[in-house]
Amino acid sequence: MKNATESKAEKERFIEDPRYKQCNKEALMGVALGVLNLIWWFFWGYGLGSGPPEEYRYIMGFPAWFFMSCILGAVLFTTLSIIMVTKYYKEMPLGAISKEEAAALKKELE
């Protein structure tokens, strides 16, 4: 068991990595986009696709539910992913960083 002076010294040496905050933000944005994609797909796929096939409307030869959920949804969410990565994701090193680099990176990410 460590004594109090050892754990105090460890706390003084510990520097929270400023990249964690950005990584968490990016992960939450990715999960949110994935959930929105699932809701989009479910709404169009089961909403419009639940009727009898005789009543389907067609877009470019595809049933409207399939076109909206699979084709348009893929284009839309691919575009949203590209926008999200280019506007909100930050370029940062993934290797070990020094205290000075951590301080500089913290200022840059804020």
Side-chain angles (χ1 to χ4, degrees), residues 10-26:
E10 284 179 13
K11 286 180 184 178
E12 290 174 2
R13 284 185 290 184
F14 178 75
I15 298 172
E16 184 173 341
D17 195 329
R19 298 175 290 184
Y20 290 161
K21 184 177 180 181
Q22 180 65 26
C23 290
N24 285 336
K25 185 171 99 173
E26 292 174 6

Side-chain angles (χ1 to χ4, degrees), residues 5 15 24 41 61 91 105:
T5 57
I15 298 172
N24 285 336
W41 176 83
E91 183 73 31
L105 192 58

Side-chain angles (χ1 to χ4, degrees), residues 9-102:
E10 284 179 13
K11 286 180 184 178
E12 290 174 2
R13 284 185 290 184
F14 178 75
I15 298 172
E16 184 173 341
D17 195 329
R19 298 175 290 184
Y20 290 161
K21 184 177 180 181
Q22 180 65 26
C23 290
N24 285 336
K25 185 171 99 173
E26 292 174 6
L28 288 174
M29 290 172 66
V31 168
L33 190 63
V35 168
L36 287 174
N37 188 8
L38 181 64
I39 291 169
W40 173 277
W41 176 83
F42 189 84
F43 173 77
W44 288 107
Y46 284 102
L48 287 180
S50 61
E54 297 80 28
E55 295 178 6
Y56 286 173
R57 298 164 113 202
Y58 291 88
I59 301 172
M60 296 174 55
F62 296 103
W65 67 266
F66 180 82
F67 183 83
M68 295 300 287
S69 67
C70 296
I71 297 173
L72 184 65
V75 172
L76 174 67
F77 284 94
T78 299
T79 304
L80 289 175
S81 297
I82 292 168
I83 291 169
M84 185 173 68
V85 168
T86 56
K87 285 190 165 238
Y88 300 107
Y89 282 33
K90 306 280 186 192
E91 183 73 31
M92 58 186 145
L94 298 178
I97 58 175
S98 66
K99 289 180 184 182
E100 295 79 25
E101 289 172 322

